[in-house]
Amino acid sequence: MTAQAKPAFDPYEVFNQPPALEDHNLFTTDHALMAAAQANGAGWAEAQLTAYGARLGTAETIEQGRLAHKFPPQLKLFDRFGHRRDEVEFHPAWHNIMRLIIGEGLHAAPWADPKPGAHVARAAAYIMHAQIEPGSQCPTTMTYGSVPALKRDAALAETWLPKIYSRQYDPANTPVERKSGALIGMGMTEKQGGSDVRANTTIAEPVGGASREYIITGHKWFFSCPQNDAHLVLAQAPGGLSCFFVPRWLPDGTKNAVQIQRLKDKVGNKSNASSEVEFHGAHGWLLGEEGRGVPTIIEMGTYTRLDCALGSAGLLRGAVAQAVHHVFHRRAFQRHLVDQPLMTNVVADLAVESEAATMLALRLARAFDRADADPQEAAFRRLCTPAVKYWVCKRAPNAVVEAMEVHGGNGYVDEGPLGMLYKEIPLNSIWEGSGNVMCLDVLRALQKGSDGLEAYFAELALARGSDTRLDAAIKSVEAEFADLTEAEHRARRIVEKMMATLQGALLVRHSTPAVADAFCASRLGGDWGHAFGTLPKGVDVRAIAERARPV
């Protein structure tokens, strides 16, 4: 008997496909993130960031993120007997991811354990988490941002802050006194107003006496994370638009009259629940003073805007890491893709964009660490928070699309990670104030005083003289502020120049010569095209690609 000949074609033999990017450390393989954390005062957190990066990069955690995204939450309005439930049911993978992020303290660690660099350390972990499962960052971010507002009320702080500071994730739908941990959400916008929250029609009527309790009637068009234990809500009180703390359960153990109408069917962010609700005589407690609702909740918004920038930087890094991983393994025309000059240019250009976003976002986080003790850092934070949020969130989507294209047709198949990143990446530019709102907030900060601009230029001065292209860019920004006629018309142009120049200054000081040269030549020197992959000749694109490789 002769041996059977091997068939000429084996349909199950797979070759020239890159291995899945898993079982790798998201921190130690991200040299830009490591450099940014060190430069901004979180070098002490290297061990914990390394440990978290290892956990996030496991095949198991990546699969949990995929499942949480694939099986979105389900709204259960009533039980089988007809009683209102107003509950959201999640896939077990969501709860596993929430245990991970809350266990790491990304919802409250800088408040629960304050130390120099705590916000930067959290920011670095947040950037890593965004690459695996960004939906879970919504309840995490709002809880993080709520703490300064809650500290304004001693009674609420005494009850709620110990639960918020806990690293125990407790999804139970029960009064906070019975829970091991608590999460906070927010509800600002309504059908008729959107970002114009002063057009809100929801009414809050005081109970009377010395109590700060009010009865709230109305609706919210976007009410994030209805499963959270309490929300900060804007409503019209007798003294004007005010901010209220609205718990899911009341102190007497009964359910508050907050009724979910439906969950939003969003383009992305599928794992997370966003809802529309009505208040049918719901109880809320005034935070701050009547008529000061916007300043009170905007303090929360300052922190959530930071997280929008961090989240976009993380999504961008996730897409770039996938693209660079791909080109180092995939072959075409007898060479690896990374050995083909045009493709090397593309991934190097993407890597420069990602590193600039990471460095800028962590520099902003440093201002959050130091604002209480340093007036210059406080001024920098006030001016640059909306500017950084605008710029990083606005730049990232095009880069993620380019990273998807690097993969060819495989990139557009939703089984892989690029589909989730692609659908998630527009979100941070929209939430917590869209692009125009951010640029107008920069102008408002400028109108309030010169200290913010002075702090900004002081940061640029640290790098002045290091690169002639950077020096020219600084002069160009100075010229923008020499004449502020039609400033609103030019607001985007002004903010873009400010942020690109600041990125260049940070990279010159804290990155490698190859990355800094590429950024200054292209983004500041003008030697660049209109798409990624147009870095000028003379740039060390291979060194940049190697630096961005997730190994």
Side-chain angles (χ1 to χ4, degrees):
M1 177 179 280
T2 59
Q4 188 172 0
K6 183 178 180 180
F9 168 65
D10 182 356
Y12 302 107
E13 182 183 6
V14 177
F15 59 96
N16 198 28
Q17 286 282 1
L21 181 55
E22 58 190 25
D23 293 325
H24 71 298
N25 191 307
L26 271 65
F27 186 64
T28 59
T29 62
D30 187 347
H31 301 291
L33 183 60
M34 293 181 70
Q38 180 69 41
N40 289 289
W44 56 266
E46 180 177 344
Q48 70 186 52
L49 291 171
T50 297
Y52 196 54
R55 289 191 67 188
L56 288 170
T58 64
E60 178 184 4
T61 302
I62 292 169
E63 177 64 6
Q64 291 295 300
R66 187 190 71 83
L67 291 172
H69 184 79
K70 183 175 181 179
F71 297 100
Q74 302 294 315
L75 177 60
K76 303 296 180 182
L77 288 179
F78 301 94
D79 68 14
R80 64 192 182 97
F81 300 107
H83 305 116
R84 284 201 73 99
R85 285 179 58 189
D86 290 293
E87 291 190 60
V88 182
E89 292 184 353
F90 291 86
H91 189 274
W94 165 268
H95 295 300
N96 292 336
I97 291 291
M98 285 300 298
R99 289 187 190 95
L100 181 66
I101 195 169
I102 299 303
E104 191 64 19
L106 300 195
H107 66 302
W111 312 120
D113 184 21
K115 63 181 70 172
H119 287 282
V120 173
R122 175 194 175 273
Y126 196 94
I127 283 176
M128 292 190 289
H129 192 98
Q131 302 170 44
I132 304 302
E133 207 301 292
S136 54
Q137 293 180 301
C138 184
T140 303
T141 283
M142 290 188 296
T143 303
Y144 166 66
S146 73
V147 173
L150 290 178
K151 285 182 175 181
R152 294 171 176 263
D153 189 297
L156 288 174
E158 183 179 5
T159 300
W160 284 86
L161 289 186
K163 303 291 185 178
I164 290 171
Y165 290 169
S166 168
R167 294 198 181 194
Q168 297 295 315
Y169 169 64
D170 186 347
N173 181 14
T174 193
V176 70
E177 292 81 6
R178 304 175 193 169
K179 299 189 63 170
S180 58
L183 298 173
I184 310 298
M186 73 162 71
M188 292 196 292
T189 59
E190 299 178 5
K191 296 183 184 76
Q192 73 285 349
S195 295
D196 183 10
V197 293
R198 296 191 185 278
N200 284 5
T201 60
T202 297
I203 299 299
E205 299 175 341
V207 170
S211 173
R212 295 175 67 82
E213 185 177 355
Y214 289 66
I215 302 300
I216 299 173
T217 304
H219 83 284
K220 291 299 167 189
W221 186 235
F222 274 91
F223 192 77
S224 296
C225 306
Q227 75 277 9
N228 282 7
D229 299 287
H231 289 75
L232 270 59
V233 171
L234 291 178
Q236 299 286 0
L241 190 66
S242 306
C243 182
F244 297 91
F245 183 82
V246 180
R248 196 175 182 190
W249 290 82
L250 297 175
D252 64 4
T254 61
K255 204 78 174 287
N256 208 353
V258 180
Q259 294 185 357
I260 306 173
Q261 301 305 297
R262 63 173 175 171
L263 299 185
K264 297 289 192 182
D265 184 10
K266 296 166 291 186
V267 173
N269 199 249
K270 292 293 189 179
S271 65
N272 176 46
S274 303
S275 68
E276 301 165 21
V277 300
E278 292 178 355
F279 306 110
H280 293 272
H283 292 253
W285 281 260
L286 180 66
L287 279 176
E289 302 302 321
E290 278 196 10
R292 298 288 296 167
V294 171
T296 300
I297 208 165
I298 281 297
E299 185 172 17
M300 179 180 183
T302 299
Y303 290 88
T304 58
R305 287 173 175 181
L306 166 66
D307 277 5
C308 285
L310 294 169
S312 288
L315 294 168
L316 176 53
R317 167 58 189 174
V320 171
Q322 292 288 341
V324 175
H325 175 74
H326 180 83
V327 300
F328 272 93
H329 288 88
R330 181 79 163 179
R331 294 180 63 87
F333 310 109
Q334 293 79 50
R335 289 185 294 176
H336 283 102
L337 292 179
V338 74
D339 295 324
Q340 306 202 30
L342 186 53
M343 181 60 82
T344 314
N345 195 324
V346 169
V347 295
D349 211 351
L350 290 172
V352 169
E353 190 72 25
S354 177
E355 181 156 353
T358 295
M359 193 65 73
L360 182 63
L362 261 66
R363 172 60 185 93
L364 179 61
R366 189 175 97 198
F368 280 72
D369 269 316
R370 301 182 179 183
D372 289 342
D374 186 336
Q376 182 169 291
E377 289 290 333
F380 181 91
R381 185 181 79 164
R382 185 169 58 253
L383 177 67
C384 289
T385 297
V388 172
K389 195 265 193 189
Y390 166 78
W391 185 237
V392 173
C393 297
K394 188 64 67 179
R395 294 284 304 168
N398 283 346
V400 171
V401 170
E402 191 71 57
M404 175 181 277
E405 187 175 323
V406 167
H407 293 75
N410 281 352
Y412 200 65
V413 175
D414 227 1
E415 286 179 283
L418 270 298
M420 181 275 287
L421 297 171
Y422 172 76
K423 286 180 282 189
E424 189 78 19
I425 196 64
L427 181 60
N428 287 320
S429 188
I430 297 170
W431 277 5
E432 306 305 322
S434 59
N436 282 356
V437 172
M438 292 301 95
C439 292
L440 294 174
D441 277 358
V442 172
L443 295 186
R444 292 187 190 98
L446 290 169
Q447 291 166 358
K448 290 180 179 180
S450 61
D451 55 346
L453 199 58
E454 290 168 1
Y456 166 78
F457 278 114
E459 186 71 22
L460 297 185
L462 298 173
R464 202 160 199 164
S466 302
D467 187 287
T468 56
R469 296 158 298 190
L470 173 61
D471 290 347
I474 294 173
K475 289 181 180 179
S476 180
V477 175
E478 290 171 339
E480 290 288 344
F481 290 106
D483 177 11
L484 284 175
T485 56
E486 298 188 63
E488 187 171 328
H489 172 78
R490 297 188 291 122
R492 287 196 178 205
R493 174 188 175 92
I494 292 169
V495 173
E496 288 179 6
K497 276 194 172 185
M498 287 176 64
M499 291 299 98
T501 305
L502 180 55
Q503 286 177 314
L506 293 170
L507 292 174
V508 163
R509 292 173 57 209
H510 302 302
S511 187
T512 64
V515 172
D517 174 57
F519 187 93
C520 291
S522 56
R523 278 72 167 171
L524 302 183
D527 197 355
W528 200 32
H530 295 285
F532 290 101
T534 55
L535 292 173
K537 62 182 180 180
V539 169
D540 193 347
V541 291
R542 183 63 185 234
I544 297 170
E546 292 281 0
R547 176 174 170 79
R549 188 178 182 185
V551 294

